[in-house]
Amino acid sequence: MTTAKRDTYTPETLLSVAVRVFNERGYDGTSMEHLSKAAGISKSSIYHHVAGKEELLRRAVSRALDGLFGILDEPGAVRGRAVERVEYVTRRTVEVLIAELPYVTLLLRVRGNTTTERWAMERRREFDHRVAELLKAAVADGDLRADVDIRLATRLLFGMVNSLVEWYRPHPDGDAERAQVADTVVHLAFDGLRTAL
Amino acid sequence: MTTAKRDTYTPETLLSVAVRVFNERGYDGTSMEHLSKAAGISKSSIYHHVAGKEELLRRAVSRALDGLFGILDEPGAVRGRAVERVEYVTRRTVEVLIAELPYVTLLLRVRGNTTTERWAMERRREFDHRVAELLKAAVADGDLRADVDIRLATRLLFGMVNSLVEWYRPHPDGDAERAQVADTVVHLAFDGLRTAL
């Protein structure tokens, strides 16, 4: 861990340091002391910005959740056949995950007993549920296979997408790579790897 | 964590307790004291069976790795077209993962600096590489899409399969469920969720 010294701290820069430390040490394993050292500012300076580490967690996971839920209001997610909407949401989920990688990583790793952690887990389940509903609608339209258990397929789809936080590291040519990863996820999940018969 | 009291301990029962504790606390966070308490036997009794916790780790990840590499020698993995072989290996990987869930969970979570951890990570990469080679052969045969980056597809396929250790909990009717999960993974990855056009 490197220690950054800054003259001025904004809530935004403090948040990005906090997210990095939470991801490195785990939320439970992070103390205000760790945050203070990593940010290179005193604990009282941190308390000037936020009430404590739980507020930093709430802000960080909110950023991830706002990104994800925002997708569901985009035109591509609300217009057209369910199968097109669910493909759109899958593609955008990959893009948001990569664009907000440290924030979504934190969201996916949250387990625990604080109100904020439980709230984050609940909101995350709600997002998964919304996608599962779209998948179900696409099955009802006859566009997705009816012989696959949708609950299981949803879990596997998110298992694949969420695995990105474990192994994906952004490249310098970010945008092109991001689009390629999103395309590959959609191809794999919806069309499969096999060539058409 | 429950504390099990036993009159006699075999290396096998000690191993299953150790794997549970490693998965709960992390390998680094587990001391011989923790293992002694969880097993309900003294540390000197544990040392009667094994040289230390690293030996327990080696035995545990070996069990997972033997299960996985064993697949590659099965008739379904060595005979027939590459695409059939890679589907077979994918299906069997899911089955072995579920059958050896705590051991594979430990294998997938290993990160670290001991010789055993590095060896486990290296062997795991070797397994992924063998599967990637099969995928490449199936693309060369024209049976899998050539417009998908195979390295990326391999990562996503394992991301999906390996996510099972995070959310899958075995059911009482284990065999049927295990086969259904394996089928769904293969359908999703190779045929896709879309109905045929």
Side-chain angles (χ1 to χ4, degrees):
Chain A
M1 203 186 314
T2 58
T3 304
K5 299 265 176 208
R6 302 272 165 80
D7 290 312
T8 55
Y9 251 87
T10 65
E12 185 69 11
T13 52
L14 178 60
L15 190 63
S16 77
V17 171
V19 167
R20 177 168 56 74
V21 181
F22 289 156
N23 281 333
E24 280 169 7
R25 312 187 64 98
Y27 176 69
D28 280 340
T30 302
S31 65
M32 287 300 278
E33 189 67 32
H34 293 130
L35 294 176
S36 157
K37 274 191 188 159
I41 58 175
S42 68
K43 279 196 269 185
S44 64
S45 299
I46 296 181
Y47 283 119
H48 175 72
H49 291 297
V50 291
K53 71 169 191 165
E54 194 168 346
E55 183 178 336
L56 286 165
L57 178 69
R58 186 178 52 72
R59 289 190 188 184
V61 295
S62 291
R63 178 161 157 171
L65 287 164
D66 289 350
L68 293 171
F69 277 94
I71 295 168
L72 301 176
D73 295 326
E74 291 172 5
V78 291
R79 289 186 208 141
R81 291 180 77 82
V83 67
E84 306 301 336
R85 290 157 61 199
V86 75
E87 283 197 9
Y88 177 85
V89 169
T90 303
R91 181 184 309 273
R92 291 284 297 131
T93 298
V94 173
E95 288 172 356
V96 167
L97 184 147
I98 293 176
E100 303 288 357
L101 197 58
Y103 298 89
V104 179
T105 301
L106 182 62
L107 174 67
L108 295 178
R109 288 190 186 160
V110 158
R111 309 256 182 291
N113 297 309
T114 63
T115 310
T116 302
E117 287 168 283
R118 279 196 303 269
W119 166 80
M121 290 169 77
E122 180 54 38
R123 291 282 285 160
R124 189 188 144 193
R125 273 193 294 270
E126 197 182 317
F127 183 79
D128 293 7
H129 181 71
R130 295 279 297 272
V131 178
E133 289 299 311
L134 271 180
L135 283 167
K136 265 183 223 163
V139 172
D141 288 345
D143 291 328
L144 292 186
R145 305 162 64 104
D147 62 344
V148 162
D149 180 273
I150 286 297
R151 199 168 145 272
L152 189 54
T154 309
R155 296 268 207 170
L156 290 167
L157 180 60
F158 278 106
M160 177 165 65
V161 170
N162 295 344
S163 79
L164 285 162
V165 306
E166 301 303 331
W167 55 265
Y168 183 78
R169 295 296 164 263
H171 285 224
D173 55 340
D175 287 354
E177 245 242 348
R178 200 182 297 177
Q180 197 212 346
V181 174
D183 278 349
T184 306
V185 169
V186 170
H187 277 326
L188 209 158
F190 294 96
D191 306 318
L193 291 173
R194 269 184 186 269
T195 44
L197 294 178
Chain B
M1 199 188 316
T2 57
T3 303
K5 299 266 176 207
R6 300 276 165 79
D7 289 315
T8 53
Y9 252 86
T10 65
E12 185 70 9
T13 53
L14 178 59
L15 190 63
S16 75
V17 171
V19 167
R20 177 168 56 75
V21 181
F22 289 156
N23 282 333
E24 280 169 7
R25 312 187 65 97
Y27 176 69
D28 281 340
T30 302
S31 65
M32 286 300 278
E33 189 67 32
H34 293 132
L35 293 177
S36 157
K37 275 192 187 158
I41 57 174
S42 67
K43 280 196 269 186
S44 65
S45 298
I46 297 180
Y47 283 120
H48 175 71
H49 291 297
V50 291
K53 71 169 191 165
E54 194 169 346
E55 184 178 335
L56 286 165
L57 178 69
R58 187 179 52 72
R59 289 190 187 182
V61 296
S62 291
R63 179 159 155 174
L65 288 164
D66 288 350
L68 293 171
F69 277 94
I71 296 167
L72 301 176
D73 295 326
E74 291 172 5
V78 291
R79 289 187 207 141
R81 289 180 78 80
V83 68
E84 306 301 336
R85 288 157 63 198
V86 75
E87 283 198 9
Y88 177 86
V89 169
T90 302
R91 180 183 309 276
R92 290 285 296 131
T93 298
V94 174
E95 289 172 356
V96 167
L97 184 147
I98 293 177
E100 304 287 357
L101 198 57
Y103 298 89
V104 179
T105 301
L106 182 63
L107 174 67
L108 295 178
R109 289 192 185 159
V110 159
R111 309 256 182 292
N113 297 308
T114 63
T115 310
T116 301
E117 288 169 281
R118 279 197 302 271
W119 166 79
M121 290 169 77
E122 180 55 38
R123 290 282 285 162
R124 188 189 145 194
R125 274 194 293 271
E126 196 181 318
F127 183 78
D128 293 6
H129 181 71
R130 294 279 296 273
V131 177
E133 288 298 311
L134 271 179
L135 283 167
K136 264 184 224 163
V139 171
D141 287 347
D143 291 327
L144 293 186
R145 305 161 63 102
D147 61 345
V148 162
D149 179 274
I150 286 297
R151 198 169 145 271
L152 189 52
T154 308
R155 295 268 206 169
L156 291 167
L157 179 61
F158 277 107
M160 177 164 66
V161 170
N162 294 345
S163 79
L164 285 162
V165 306
E166 301 303 331
W167 55 265
Y168 183 78
R169 295 297 164 261
H171 284 225
D173 55 340
D175 286 355
E177 245 241 349
R178 198 182 298 177
Q180 197 212 345
V181 175
D183 277 349
T184 306
V185 169
V186 171
H187 277 325
L188 209 159
F190 294 97
D191 306 318
L193 289 173
R194 269 183 186 268
T195 43
L197 295 179

